[in-house]
Amino acid sequence: MTLAYQGSARSAEEQARRKRTRKVVMASVAGNAMEWYDFFIYGTAAALVFGELFFPKGTDPLLGTMGAFAGFAVGFLARPLGGVVFGHIGDRYGRKLALEWTLGIMGAATFLIGLLPTYEQVGLWAPAAMVLLRILQGAAAGGEWGGGVLLISEAVGGKRRGYFSSFSQLGVAGGFVLSSGVFMLAQQLPQDDFMSWGWRLPFLLSVLIFGVGLYIRKHIPESEEFVQATKTAKRGMPAVEVFRRYPRQVFTAMGLRVAENGGSYIFLAFALAYGKFLGIPNDVMLGGVLASMFIELGTLVWFGHLSDRIGRRTVYLIGSAGLALAAFPFFWLVQTKEPVWIFLAFFMGNTVCHAAMIGTQPAYFAELFPPEVRYTGLALGHELASVFAGGLSPLIAMALLRKYESATPVAWFLVGMAVITVITLLLTREPPREDSA
Protein backbone atom coordinates (compact mmCIF):
# COMPACT_ATOMS: atom_id res chain seq x y z
CA MET A 1 0.00 0.00 0.00
CA THR A 2 2.78 2.37 1.00
CA LEU A 3 4.85 1.50 -2.07
CA ALA A 4 1.84 2.04 -4.33
CA TYR A 5 1.19 5.42 -2.70
CA GLN A 6 4.83 6.46 -3.08
CA GLY A 7 4.81 5.38 -6.70
CA SER A 8 1.63 7.33 -7.35
CA ALA A 9 3.08 10.41 -5.66
CA ARG A 10 6.25 10.21 -7.74
CA SER A 11 4.18 9.79 -10.89
CA ALA A 12 2.04 12.84 -10.04
CA GLU A 13 5.18 14.87 -9.28
CA GLU A 14 6.76 13.81 -12.56
CA GLN A 15 3.65 14.77 -14.51
CA ALA A 16 3.54 18.16 -12.79
CA ARG A 17 7.22 18.72 -13.60
CA ARG A 18 6.69 17.86 -17.27
CA LYS A 19 3.65 20.13 -17.48
CA ARG A 20 5.64 22.99 -15.94
CA THR A 21 8.52 22.36 -18.35
CA ARG A 22 6.19 22.44 -21.38
CA LYS A 23 4.64 25.67 -20.15
CA VAL A 24 8.01 27.32 -19.62
CA VAL A 25 9.31 26.16 -23.02
CA MET A 26 6.26 27.45 -24.90
CA ALA A 27 6.25 30.75 -23.01
CA SER A 28 9.97 31.30 -23.59
CA VAL A 29 9.74 30.54 -27.31
CA ALA A 30 6.70 32.78 -27.82
CA GLY A 31 8.11 35.67 -25.77
CA ASN A 32 11.51 35.50 -27.46
CA ALA A 33 9.98 35.35 -30.94
CA MET A 34 7.94 38.47 -30.27
CA GLU A 35 10.87 40.42 -28.87
CA TRP A 36 13.37 39.37 -31.53
CA TYR A 37 10.84 40.20 -34.22
CA ASP A 38 11.20 43.80 -33.06
CA PHE A 39 14.99 43.66 -33.09
CA PHE A 40 15.41 41.94 -36.46
CA ILE A 41 12.94 44.11 -38.34
CA TYR A 42 15.47 46.96 -38.24
CA GLY A 43 18.13 44.83 -39.94
CA THR A 44 15.81 43.99 -42.82
CA ALA A 45 14.70 47.60 -43.23
CA ALA A 46 18.31 48.85 -42.97
CA ALA A 47 19.33 46.62 -45.87
CA LEU A 48 16.40 47.54 -48.10
CA VAL A 49 14.89 50.98 -47.34
CA PHE A 50 16.44 52.95 -44.46
CA GLY A 51 19.48 54.07 -46.47
CA GLU A 52 17.22 55.89 -48.89
CA LEU A 53 14.71 57.24 -46.35
CA PHE A 54 16.79 58.25 -43.34
CA PHE A 55 20.45 58.64 -44.27
CA PRO A 56 21.89 61.13 -46.81
CA LYS A 57 23.64 59.20 -49.57
CA GLY A 58 24.74 61.83 -52.12
CA THR A 59 25.48 60.15 -55.44
CA ASP A 60 26.63 56.80 -53.98
CA PRO A 61 23.74 54.36 -53.39
CA LEU A 62 25.90 52.20 -51.09
CA LEU A 63 26.68 55.16 -48.81
CA GLY A 64 23.12 55.48 -47.52
CA THR A 65 22.98 51.76 -46.78
CA MET A 66 26.27 52.08 -44.88
CA GLY A 67 24.66 54.84 -42.80
CA ALA A 68 21.72 52.57 -42.04
CA PHE A 69 24.09 49.76 -41.01
CA ALA A 70 26.00 52.22 -38.82
CA GLY A 71 22.71 52.80 -36.99
CA PHE A 72 22.37 49.02 -36.85
CA ALA A 73 25.80 48.79 -35.19
CA VAL A 74 24.96 51.47 -32.60
CA GLY A 75 22.20 49.23 -31.27
CA PHE A 76 24.81 46.59 -30.55
CA LEU A 77 26.91 49.04 -28.57
CA ALA A 78 24.02 49.34 -26.12
CA ARG A 79 23.60 45.59 -25.69
CA PRO A 80 26.35 45.08 -23.05
CA LEU A 81 24.86 47.92 -21.00
CA GLY A 82 21.47 46.25 -21.23
CA GLY A 83 23.11 42.97 -20.25
CA VAL A 84 24.57 44.52 -17.08
CA VAL A 85 21.37 46.33 -16.07
CA PHE A 86 18.90 43.54 -16.78
CA GLY A 87 21.36 40.87 -15.70
CA HIS A 88 21.51 42.60 -12.30
CA ILE A 89 17.71 42.70 -12.14
CA GLY A 90 17.45 39.08 -13.24
CA ASP A 91 20.07 37.79 -10.77
CA ARG A 92 18.72 39.80 -7.84
CA TYR A 93 14.98 40.21 -8.35
CA GLY A 94 13.99 37.47 -10.77
CA ARG A 95 14.20 36.37 -14.39
CA LYS A 96 10.54 37.24 -15.03
CA LEU A 97 10.81 40.88 -13.96
CA ALA A 98 13.85 41.50 -16.16
CA LEU A 99 12.14 39.95 -19.18
CA GLU A 100 8.99 42.02 -18.70
CA TRP A 101 11.10 45.20 -18.77
CA THR A 102 13.06 44.17 -21.87
CA LEU A 103 9.86 43.38 -23.74
CA GLY A 104 8.28 46.72 -22.84
CA ILE A 105 11.30 48.79 -23.90
CA MET A 106 11.78 46.84 -27.13
CA GLY A 107 8.11 47.12 -28.09
CA ALA A 108 7.92 50.87 -27.43
CA ALA A 109 11.12 51.64 -29.37
CA THR A 110 10.07 49.56 -32.38
CA PHE A 111 6.61 51.13 -32.50
CA LEU A 112 8.09 54.63 -32.40
CA ILE A 113 10.44 53.84 -35.32
CA GLY A 114 7.31 53.24 -37.35
CA LEU A 115 6.17 56.82 -36.61
CA LEU A 116 9.43 58.63 -37.41
CA PRO A 117 9.57 61.37 -40.07
CA THR A 118 12.13 60.79 -42.83
CA TYR A 119 15.32 62.70 -43.70
CA GLU A 120 13.49 64.53 -46.48
CA GLN A 121 10.95 65.81 -43.94
CA VAL A 122 13.10 66.86 -40.95
CA GLY A 123 16.72 66.52 -42.06
CA LEU A 124 19.31 65.21 -39.62
CA TRP A 125 16.73 64.90 -36.84
CA ALA A 126 15.47 61.77 -38.63
CA PRO A 127 18.67 59.67 -38.38
CA ALA A 128 19.35 61.08 -34.88
CA ALA A 129 15.95 59.88 -33.64
CA MET A 130 16.43 56.57 -35.42
CA VAL A 131 19.78 55.99 -33.69
CA LEU A 132 18.32 56.87 -30.27
CA LEU A 133 15.51 54.35 -30.67
CA ARG A 134 18.00 51.79 -31.96
CA ILE A 135 20.00 52.26 -28.75
CA LEU A 136 16.88 51.44 -26.72
CA GLN A 137 16.31 48.36 -28.87
CA GLY A 138 19.89 47.29 -28.27
CA ALA A 139 19.68 47.72 -24.49
CA ALA A 140 16.51 45.62 -24.38
CA ALA A 141 18.02 42.91 -26.60
CA GLY A 142 21.08 42.83 -24.33
CA GLY A 143 18.93 41.74 -21.42
CA GLU A 144 16.57 39.48 -23.37
CA TRP A 145 18.67 36.56 -24.56
CA GLY A 146 20.11 35.46 -21.24
CA GLY A 147 16.76 35.56 -19.47
CA GLY A 148 14.98 33.67 -22.24
CA VAL A 149 17.64 30.96 -22.15
CA LEU A 150 17.55 30.63 -18.37
CA LEU A 151 13.79 30.23 -18.19
CA ILE A 152 14.26 26.89 -19.95
CA SER A 153 17.76 25.73 -18.99
CA GLU A 154 17.12 26.22 -15.26
CA ALA A 155 13.74 24.54 -15.52
CA VAL A 156 15.12 21.33 -17.04
CA GLY A 157 18.85 20.84 -16.41
CA GLY A 158 20.21 17.32 -16.51
CA LYS A 159 21.01 15.11 -19.47
CA ARG A 160 18.53 16.77 -21.84
CA ARG A 161 19.49 20.38 -21.15
CA GLY A 162 20.95 20.81 -24.63
CA TYR A 163 17.75 19.63 -26.30
CA PHE A 164 15.30 21.65 -24.22
CA SER A 165 17.50 24.75 -24.02
CA SER A 166 17.75 24.88 -27.80
CA PHE A 167 14.02 25.65 -27.89
CA SER A 168 14.82 29.12 -26.54
CA GLN A 169 16.59 29.77 -29.85
CA LEU A 170 13.38 28.95 -31.71
CA GLY A 171 12.24 32.34 -30.48
CA VAL A 172 15.29 34.03 -32.00
CA ALA A 173 14.96 32.25 -35.36
CA GLY A 174 11.17 32.53 -35.22
CA GLY A 175 11.43 36.26 -34.65
CA PHE A 176 13.47 36.62 -37.80
CA VAL A 177 11.09 34.42 -39.80
CA LEU A 178 8.16 36.49 -38.56
CA SER A 179 9.84 39.83 -39.31
CA SER A 180 10.95 38.73 -42.78
CA GLY A 181 7.51 37.35 -43.58
CA VAL A 182 5.74 40.54 -42.51
CA PHE A 183 8.24 42.64 -44.46
CA MET A 184 7.70 40.53 -47.57
CA LEU A 185 3.95 41.04 -47.27
CA ALA A 186 4.42 44.79 -46.94
CA GLN A 187 6.57 44.76 -50.08
CA GLN A 188 3.63 43.46 -52.09
CA LEU A 189 2.25 47.02 -52.02
CA PRO A 190 2.98 49.27 -55.02
CA GLN A 191 6.55 50.56 -54.72
CA ASP A 192 5.55 54.17 -54.12
CA ASP A 193 3.10 53.18 -51.39
CA PHE A 194 5.64 50.88 -49.78
CA MET A 195 8.35 53.56 -49.67
CA SER A 196 5.98 56.27 -48.39
CA TRP A 197 4.08 54.36 -45.69
CA GLY A 198 4.05 50.60 -46.26
CA TRP A 199 7.46 50.02 -44.65
CA ARG A 200 6.02 51.40 -41.38
CA LEU A 201 3.46 48.62 -40.99
CA PRO A 202 5.85 45.92 -39.66
CA PHE A 203 7.08 48.38 -36.99
CA LEU A 204 3.61 49.53 -35.94
CA LEU A 205 2.55 45.89 -35.61
CA SER A 206 4.87 45.63 -32.61
CA VAL A 207 2.22 47.20 -30.36
CA LEU A 208 0.13 44.05 -30.76
CA ILE A 209 3.16 41.84 -30.26
CA PHE A 210 4.00 43.68 -27.04
CA GLY A 211 0.55 43.03 -25.60
CA VAL A 212 0.61 39.30 -26.38
CA GLY A 213 4.19 38.89 -25.16
CA LEU A 214 3.57 40.67 -21.87
CA TYR A 215 0.52 38.51 -21.16
CA ILE A 216 2.57 35.35 -21.78
CA ARG A 217 5.42 36.44 -19.53
CA LYS A 218 3.11 37.44 -16.71
CA HIS A 219 1.85 33.85 -16.52
CA ILE A 220 5.08 31.84 -16.36
CA PRO A 221 6.65 30.56 -13.11
CA GLU A 222 9.95 31.90 -11.80
CA SER A 223 12.98 29.63 -12.14
CA GLU A 224 13.14 27.25 -9.15
CA GLU A 225 16.93 27.00 -9.47
CA PHE A 226 17.14 30.80 -9.20
CA VAL A 227 14.82 30.85 -6.17
CA GLN A 228 16.96 28.26 -4.37
CA ALA A 229 20.22 30.02 -5.27
CA THR A 230 19.04 33.38 -3.90
CA LYS A 231 18.48 31.85 -0.46
CA THR A 232 22.20 31.31 0.04
CA ALA A 233 23.83 33.70 -2.46
CA LYS A 234 25.86 36.68 -1.30
CA ARG A 235 24.25 39.99 -2.28
CA GLY A 236 27.14 41.57 -4.18
CA MET A 237 27.10 43.19 -7.59
CA PRO A 238 26.65 40.38 -10.15
CA ALA A 239 28.71 42.14 -12.84
CA VAL A 240 31.63 42.64 -10.43
CA GLU A 241 31.40 39.03 -9.26
CA VAL A 242 31.40 37.74 -12.82
CA PHE A 243 34.56 39.61 -13.82
CA ARG A 244 36.29 38.86 -10.51
CA ARG A 245 35.55 35.13 -10.37
CA TYR A 246 34.70 34.04 -13.92
CA PRO A 247 36.68 36.15 -16.44
CA ARG A 248 37.81 33.08 -18.42
CA GLN A 249 34.20 31.99 -18.87
CA VAL A 250 33.21 35.46 -20.13
CA PHE A 251 36.01 35.48 -22.72
CA THR A 252 35.17 31.91 -23.73
CA ALA A 253 31.56 32.91 -24.40
CA MET A 254 32.76 35.94 -26.38
CA GLY A 255 35.04 33.84 -28.55
CA LEU A 256 32.26 31.34 -29.23
CA ARG A 257 29.94 34.15 -30.30
CA VAL A 258 32.19 35.63 -33.00
CA ALA A 259 31.47 33.10 -35.75
CA GLU A 260 27.82 32.59 -34.81
CA ASN A 261 26.84 36.23 -34.37
CA GLY A 262 29.09 37.80 -36.99
CA GLY A 263 28.30 35.15 -39.56
CA SER A 264 24.56 35.30 -38.98
CA TYR A 265 24.36 39.04 -39.66
CA ILE A 266 26.37 38.64 -42.84
CA PHE A 267 23.76 36.11 -43.99
CA LEU A 268 20.71 37.92 -42.60
CA ALA A 269 21.47 41.60 -43.20
CA PHE A 270 24.46 42.19 -45.50
CA ALA A 271 23.40 39.46 -47.94
CA LEU A 272 20.16 41.35 -48.66
CA ALA A 273 22.12 44.50 -49.50
CA TYR A 274 24.56 42.45 -51.59
CA GLY A 275 21.68 40.94 -53.54
CA LYS A 276 20.39 44.44 -54.21
CA PHE A 277 23.89 45.42 -55.38
CA LEU A 278 23.84 42.51 -57.87
CA GLY A 279 20.37 43.42 -59.10
CA ILE A 280 18.65 40.38 -57.60
CA PRO A 281 14.98 41.06 -56.72
CA ASN A 282 14.41 41.63 -53.00
CA ASP A 283 11.76 38.91 -52.93
CA VAL A 284 14.27 36.31 -54.10
CA MET A 285 16.82 37.17 -51.41
CA LEU A 286 14.21 37.53 -48.67
CA GLY A 287 12.64 34.27 -49.78
CA GLY A 288 15.97 32.48 -49.47
CA VAL A 289 16.55 33.88 -46.00
CA LEU A 290 13.01 33.10 -44.90
CA ALA A 291 13.02 29.52 -46.20
CA SER A 292 16.41 28.70 -44.69
CA MET A 293 15.49 30.19 -41.31
CA PHE A 294 12.19 28.32 -41.30
CA ILE A 295 13.98 25.00 -41.83
CA GLU A 296 16.51 26.06 -39.18
CA LEU A 297 13.71 25.98 -36.62
CA GLY A 298 14.01 22.20 -36.86
CA THR A 299 17.75 21.77 -37.37
CA LEU A 300 18.80 23.92 -34.42
CA VAL A 301 16.74 21.75 -32.06
CA TRP A 302 18.31 18.64 -33.58
CA PHE A 303 21.78 20.07 -33.01
CA GLY A 304 20.83 20.89 -29.41
CA HIS A 305 19.81 17.26 -28.96
CA LEU A 306 23.04 16.11 -30.62
CA SER A 307 25.06 18.19 -28.15
CA ASP A 308 23.57 16.07 -25.32
CA ARG A 309 24.87 12.97 -27.07
CA ILE A 310 28.33 13.87 -28.41
CA GLY A 311 29.19 17.05 -26.46
CA ARG A 312 28.73 20.79 -26.79
CA ARG A 313 32.23 21.48 -28.14
CA THR A 314 31.99 18.89 -30.90
CA VAL A 315 28.70 20.21 -32.28
CA TYR A 316 29.83 23.83 -32.00
CA LEU A 317 33.01 22.91 -33.89
CA ILE A 318 30.89 21.44 -36.69
CA GLY A 319 29.13 24.78 -37.08
CA SER A 320 32.16 27.08 -36.82
CA ALA A 321 34.47 25.00 -39.04
CA GLY A 322 31.58 24.56 -41.47
CA LEU A 323 31.21 28.35 -41.66
CA ALA A 324 34.85 28.71 -42.74
CA LEU A 325 34.31 26.10 -45.46
CA ALA A 326 31.04 27.64 -46.65
CA ALA A 327 32.19 31.28 -46.81
CA PHE A 328 33.32 31.38 -50.45
CA PRO A 329 30.69 28.95 -51.82
CA PHE A 330 27.97 31.09 -50.24
CA PHE A 331 28.84 34.12 -52.37
CA TRP A 332 29.56 32.04 -55.48
CA LEU A 333 26.05 30.62 -55.28
CA VAL A 334 24.44 34.03 -54.74
CA GLN A 335 26.33 35.42 -57.74
CA THR A 336 24.55 32.94 -60.03
CA LYS A 337 21.35 35.00 -59.41
CA GLU A 338 19.41 31.75 -59.71
CA PRO A 339 16.78 31.27 -56.94
CA VAL A 340 17.57 27.57 -56.40
CA TRP A 341 21.30 28.24 -55.87
CA ILE A 342 20.56 31.26 -53.70
CA PHE A 343 18.38 29.06 -51.50
CA LEU A 344 21.20 26.49 -51.27
CA ALA A 345 23.60 29.26 -50.19
CA PHE A 346 21.31 30.34 -47.35
CA PHE A 347 20.67 26.70 -46.45
CA MET A 348 24.40 26.12 -45.94
CA GLY A 349 24.94 29.32 -43.99
CA ASN A 350 21.82 29.40 -41.83
CA THR A 351 20.22 25.95 -41.71
CA VAL A 352 23.45 24.03 -41.12
CA CYS A 353 26.37 26.16 -39.89
CA HIS A 354 24.45 28.74 -37.88
CA ALA A 355 22.01 26.15 -36.53
CA ALA A 356 24.82 23.96 -35.16
CA MET A 357 26.18 26.88 -33.15
CA ILE A 358 22.97 28.57 -32.07
CA GLY A 359 21.30 25.28 -31.13
CA THR A 360 24.17 24.33 -28.82
CA GLN A 361 24.82 27.78 -27.42
CA PRO A 362 22.13 28.09 -24.68
CA ALA A 363 23.17 24.96 -22.76
CA TYR A 364 26.88 25.58 -23.41
CA PHE A 365 26.76 29.11 -22.00
CA ALA A 366 24.46 28.26 -19.08
CA GLU A 367 26.90 25.59 -17.92
CA LEU A 368 29.74 28.12 -17.76
CA PHE A 369 28.29 30.09 -14.80
CA PRO A 370 26.67 29.30 -11.39
CA PRO A 371 23.00 30.31 -10.83
CA GLU A 372 23.63 33.37 -8.63
CA VAL A 373 25.47 35.23 -11.43
CA ARG A 374 24.29 33.22 -14.44
CA TYR A 375 22.00 35.85 -15.97
CA THR A 376 24.73 38.51 -15.83
CA GLY A 377 27.43 36.09 -17.00
CA LEU A 378 25.41 34.95 -19.99
CA ALA A 379 24.42 38.51 -20.87
CA LEU A 380 27.96 39.89 -20.69
CA GLY A 381 29.62 37.09 -22.64
CA HIS A 382 26.85 37.08 -25.21
CA GLU A 383 26.52 40.84 -25.66
CA LEU A 384 30.10 42.06 -25.42
CA ALA A 385 30.94 39.87 -28.40
CA SER A 386 27.88 41.07 -30.27
CA VAL A 387 29.31 44.62 -30.39
CA PHE A 388 32.32 43.50 -32.42
CA ALA A 389 30.76 40.56 -34.26
CA GLY A 390 27.12 41.07 -35.20
CA GLY A 391 27.08 44.82 -34.71
CA LEU A 392 30.03 45.66 -36.95
CA SER A 393 30.00 42.78 -39.43
CA PRO A 394 27.36 44.21 -41.84
CA LEU A 395 29.05 47.63 -41.72
CA ILE A 396 32.51 46.16 -42.33
CA ALA A 397 31.14 43.98 -45.11
CA MET A 398 29.48 46.98 -46.78
CA ALA A 399 32.73 48.97 -46.53
CA LEU A 400 34.63 46.10 -48.16
CA LEU A 401 32.02 45.81 -50.91
CA ARG A 402 32.08 49.55 -51.55
CA LYS A 403 35.90 49.62 -51.77
CA TYR A 404 36.51 46.46 -53.80
CA GLU A 405 33.10 45.95 -55.49
CA SER A 406 33.59 42.25 -54.82
CA ALA A 407 32.41 39.76 -52.20
CA THR A 408 35.81 38.04 -52.00
CA PRO A 409 37.10 40.23 -49.12
CA VAL A 410 33.79 39.63 -47.30
CA ALA A 411 34.27 35.87 -47.65
CA TRP A 412 37.75 36.17 -46.12
CA PHE A 413 36.21 38.23 -43.33
CA LEU A 414 33.78 35.35 -42.65
CA VAL A 415 36.66 32.87 -42.59
CA GLY A 416 38.51 35.05 -40.07
CA MET A 417 35.54 35.12 -37.69
CA ALA A 418 35.14 31.35 -37.98
CA VAL A 419 38.82 30.80 -37.17
CA ILE A 420 38.54 32.87 -33.97
CA THR A 421 35.73 30.62 -32.73
CA VAL A 422 37.52 27.42 -33.75
CA ILE A 423 40.62 28.51 -31.81
CA THR A 424 38.45 29.33 -28.77
CA LEU A 425 36.95 25.83 -28.89
CA LEU A 426 40.37 24.19 -29.16
CA LEU A 427 41.60 26.12 -26.11
CA THR A 428 38.62 25.28 -23.87
CA ARG A 429 37.25 22.13 -22.30
CA GLU A 430 33.76 20.70 -22.39
CA PRO A 431 31.68 22.41 -19.64
CA PRO A 432 30.62 20.14 -16.74
CA ARG A 433 27.08 18.76 -16.87
CA GLU A 434 24.66 17.41 -14.31
CA ASP A 435 24.01 13.68 -14.28
CA SER A 436 20.37 13.98 -13.30
CA ALA A 437 17.70 13.75 -15.93
Side-chain angles (χ1 to χ4, degrees):
M1 185 73 174
T2 302
L3 290 175
Y5 174 78
Q6 290 176 342
S8 177
R10 283 196 297 269
S11 177
E13 183 180 344
E14 178 65 17
Q15 289 179 358
R17 186 182 68 82
R18 290 180 178 177
K19 183 178 180 180
R20 184 172 62 250
T21 298
R22 285 196 298 269
K23 183 177 181 180
V24 169
V25 168
M26 289 188 293
S28 178
V29 171
N32 279 1
M34 291 169 185
E35 184 147 4
W36 286 103
Y37 164 90
D38 286 359
F39 190 74
F40 284 135
I41 199 71
Y42 183 98
T44 304
L48 301 179
V49 300
F50 279 173
E52 183 172 342
L53 294 175
F54 286 92
F55 297 87
K57 61 181 180 179
T59 59
D60 188 343
L62 294 181
L63 195 58
T65 305
M66 285 186 64
F69 278 139
F72 183 78
V74 167
F76 281 82
L77 292 175
R79 286 176 66 163
L81 176 61
V84 171
V85 172
F86 294 110
H88 179 88
I89 294 172
D91 282 331
R92 287 295 169 261
Y93 306 106
R95 314 318 197 193
K96 280 182 59 177
L97 179 63
L99 289 172
E100 289 167 8
W101 272 97
T102 61
L103 183 64
I105 293 172
M106 180 73 81
T110 306
F111 180 77
L112 290 174
I113 288 176
L115 299 176
L116 286 179
T118 64
Y119 179 80
E120 183 178 325
Q121 294 169 320
V122 297
L124 291 175
W125 287 108
M130 174 72 75
V131 169
L132 176 61
L133 292 173
R134 183 62 182 168
I135 289 172
L136 291 177
Q137 277 192 324
E144 165 65 26
W145 186 84
V149 166
L150 294 184
L151 281 181
I152 298 179
S153 65
E154 292 183 342
V156 294
K159 295 180 180 179
R160 303 195 72 192
R161 174 175 269 168
Y163 169 71
F164 281 111
S165 295
S166 68
F167 277 85
S168 65
Q169 302 289 48
L170 288 180
V172 181
F176 188 87
V177 170
L178 184 60
S179 66
S180 297
V182 171
F183 215 89
M184 282 187 69
L185 288 175
Q187 280 198 305
Q188 302 312 305
L189 291 167
Q191 181 67 11
D192 290 343
D193 290 341
F194 174 73
M195 293 301 293
S196 63
W197 57 268
W199 68 268
R200 299 179 185 274
L201 297 179
F203 291 89
L204 299 178
L205 184 63
S206 66
V207 70
L208 300 177
I209 290 174
F210 165 70
V212 174
L214 187 62
Y215 174 83
I216 291 172
R217 288 193 166 165
K218 284 284 188 182
H219 291 79
I220 54 175
E222 184 59 86
S223 160
E224 291 186 6
E225 190 173 350
F226 163 74
V227 172
Q228 294 300 318
T230 55
K231 293 178 180 178
T232 57
K234 298 178 181 179
R235 309 297 278 183
M237 291 287 291
V240 175
E241 288 297 302
V242 165
F243 280 115
R244 185 174 67 86
R245 298 168 57 192
Y246 307 103
R248 182 182 178 89
Q249 288 85 338
V250 172
F251 286 112
T252 295
M254 290 175 64
L256 296 179
R257 276 279 279 168
V258 172
E260 177 270 314
N261 193 232
S264 69
Y265 282 105
I266 293 293
F267 298 141
L268 301 181
F270 168 76
L272 299 179
Y274 181 60
K276 194 174 181 178
F277 171 79
L278 293 177
I280 300 172
N282 291 339
D283 284 354
V284 173
M285 296 299 290
L286 269 175
V289 172
L290 188 58
S292 65
M293 291 295 285
F294 184 78
I295 300 172
E296 186 180 1
L297 296 176
T299 58
L300 71 87
V301 173
W302 183 80
F303 280 118
H305 165 72
L306 188 63
S307 76
D308 287 328
R309 305 292 299 274
I310 67 175
R312 318 285 189 225
R313 286 177 71 244
T314 302
V315 177
Y316 216 100
L317 187 61
I318 291 172
S320 53
L323 179 66
L325 295 175
F328 282 93
F330 175 85
F331 291 107
W332 294 338
L333 291 170
V334 171
Q335 288 161 10
T336 67
K337 302 184 182 181
E338 294 293 331
V340 64
W341 297 120
I342 290 172
F343 168 76
L344 180 59
F346 283 114
F347 181 87
M348 284 193 313
N350 292 326
T351 311
V352 179
C353 300
H354 184 245
M357 292 183 281
I358 200 174
T360 311
Q361 197 175 90
Y364 202 153
F365 284 21
E367 290 164 352
L368 292 174
F369 303 95
E372 63 270 16
V373 295
R374 186 173 285 155
Y375 199 137
T376 303
L378 260 69
L380 284 173
H382 192 267
E383 305 310 337
L384 285 172
S386 72
V387 174
F388 306 103
L392 293 179
S393 61
L395 183 61
I396 292 172
M398 282 301 302
L400 291 172
L401 178 63
R402 183 167 179 262
K403 179 175 177 59
Y404 296 102
E405 297 187 352
S406 167
T408 298
V410 182
W412 280 117
F413 178 48
L414 265 177
V415 171
M417 290 190 289
V419 168
I420 290 173
T421 294
V422 169
I423 292 174
T424 301
L425 287 164
L426 296 178
L427 294 177
T428 57
R429 293 177 295 179
E430 182 80 14
R433 280 186 268 170
E434 303 168 20
D435 294 327
S436 60

